[in-house]
Amino acid sequence: MPVEEFVAGWISGETFFFLPHITPSGRSLPGDIEGVRLQTQTTYQGIIDCMVKTYRHESLLGFFKGMSFPIASIAVVNSVLFGVYSNTLLALTATSHQERWAQPPSYTHVFIAGCTGGFVQAYCLAPFDLIKVRLQNQTEPRARPGSPPPRYRGPVHCAVSICREDGPWGLFRGAWALTLRDTPTLGIYFVTYEWLCRQSTPDRQNPGAATVLVAGGFAGIASWAVATPLDVIKSRMQMGGLKHRVYRGVLDCMVSSARQEGLGVFFRGLTINSARAFPVNAVTFLTYEYLLSSWG
């Protein structure tokens, strides 16, 4: 099994996370926490309202809750996604990454490989994502003398608390919804990227940097457009251990949410997720393609 795809995925994952530190147009940490809160809480009227209330109640540090685990996990998860995708495509087509632009695989093979990568990634991501969502939904302000402490003091304490209350499998709460979200979504993600690259590149030639950036950016938007409804369900199920209302499963969560809040609930967070998806995925694909072409 070629390992360079895993390594390239790892490095592009690190670029993906640290992008907001080098350009304000990339994935924003405040944007991440706002997306989660809009999906799981009904106290906000929109993105701006969420930002204002978060800042007023929790100060600037409130925008950075729950981000230490993504720092530790994003490279691993991205490595698994791109590594499994590329090696599945190799098994289906018997062509290496360097040969794929000269001998392009069918979109069916690309979709299957993307779905496989999404399925495997989901179970690697599930515990990290659960802890991030739990920490981001803590709305307590910074600790003051005499004020009650937050439920979770940090990611390690959160993980230990979940295991103590629900057992080790508690860390995989919402994993089924996450799998349903990522499996078809990442198939569409890679198909969109491949299709846009081929439409903008002469036959049997490698796409240029500008093409990769645009294709990667729009692939990110397309994937979030498909993923957002199940992302809402996933986030709500992950919070199930903290709320009095506990969903019996994915379908129960969908029906209950639609009955109480209308069909619009399934599109909460779509705007902010799409806005950050373009630059993040553009740079991720550009880094990935550059590394593999330079190593090849």
Side-chain angles (χ1 to χ4, degrees):
M1 178 182 292
V3 298
E4 60 265 24
E5 286 90 351
F6 288 94
V7 177
W10 181 293
I11 297 173
S12 65
E14 289 291 356
T15 305
F16 161 90
F17 186 82
F18 289 107
L19 181 62
H21 297 274
I22 59 176
T23 171
S25 63
R27 177 186 176 93
S28 64
L29 297 182
D32 190 58
I33 196 170
E34 288 153 18
V36 170
R37 289 186 176 184
L38 287 170
Q39 290 176 347
T40 58
Q41 302 181 31
T42 58
T43 57
Y44 305 113
Q45 298 175 1
I47 297 171
I48 302 300
D49 183 51
C50 182
M51 290 180 66
V52 171
K53 288 180 178 177
T54 298
Y55 179 75
R56 285 178 178 174
H57 191 57
E58 303 166 63
S59 79
L60 190 62
L61 295 177
F63 294 113
F64 295 87
K65 284 183 176 178
M67 297 314 299
S68 58
F69 258 37
I71 290 175
S73 66
I74 189 63
V76 176
V77 171
N78 216 57
S79 174
V80 169
L81 170 62
F82 279 90
V84 172
Y85 163 76
S86 192
N87 281 278
T88 302
L89 205 54
L90 175 62
L92 291 171
T93 64
T95 56
S96 66
H97 184 87
Q98 289 75 15
E99 300 170 328
R100 283 177 200 148
W101 296 115
Q103 304 175 43
S106 69
Y107 291 120
T108 300
H109 286 154
V110 172
F111 181 75
I112 292 172
C115 288
T116 304
F119 179 84
V120 176
Q121 175 206 256
Y123 280 92
C124 296
L125 175 62
F128 299 104
D129 193 61
L130 171 64
I131 291 167
K132 183 199 73 165
V133 168
R134 290 281 182 92
L135 291 174
Q136 288 181 335
N137 271 288
Q138 292 191 142
T139 57
E140 295 86 357
R142 287 185 296 175
R144 297 185 178 91
S147 63
R151 182 184 181 98
Y152 302 123
R153 296 190 297 269
V156 174
H157 180 251
C158 181
V160 171
S161 299
I162 292 171
C163 290
R164 188 178 297 147
E165 294 166 5
D166 302 326
W169 285 110
L171 291 170
F172 290 86
R173 183 184 295 273
W176 179 232
L178 184 62
T179 303
L180 290 176
R181 184 197 76 175
D182 283 358
T183 301
T185 294
L186 287 163
I188 294 170
Y189 176 68
F190 283 108
V191 167
T192 303
Y193 172 74
E194 286 280 334
W195 183 80
L196 288 172
C197 283
R198 294 182 195 179
Q199 294 302 307
S200 306
T201 307
D203 291 342
R204 306 180 68 84
Q205 292 187 22
N206 293 352
T211 297
V212 170
L213 283 169
V214 173
F218 278 109
I221 292 175
S223 66
W224 270 114
V226 174
T228 296
L230 274 166
D231 192 54
V232 173
I233 299 305
K234 181 270 301 178
S235 296
R236 293 185 168 213
M237 293 189 68
Q238 288 173 327
M239 292 300 297
L242 293 180
K243 297 182 178 180
H244 297 296
R245 181 182 64 189
V246 178
Y247 303 111
R248 295 189 298 271
V250 173
L251 183 60
D252 180 51
C253 183
M254 292 176 67
V255 173
S256 298
S257 298
R259 281 178 179 171
Q260 294 178 22
E261 301 169 59
L263 294 177
V265 68
F266 297 119
F267 298 95
R268 286 185 182 173
L270 175 59
T271 301
I272 196 164
N273 286 333
S274 297
R276 72 190 186 196
F278 189 96
V280 166
N281 289 281
V283 173
T284 297
F285 267 109
L286 182 64
T287 305
Y288 177 75
E289 294 286 2
Y290 172 79
L291 290 171
L292 287 181
S293 63
S294 63
W295 293 341

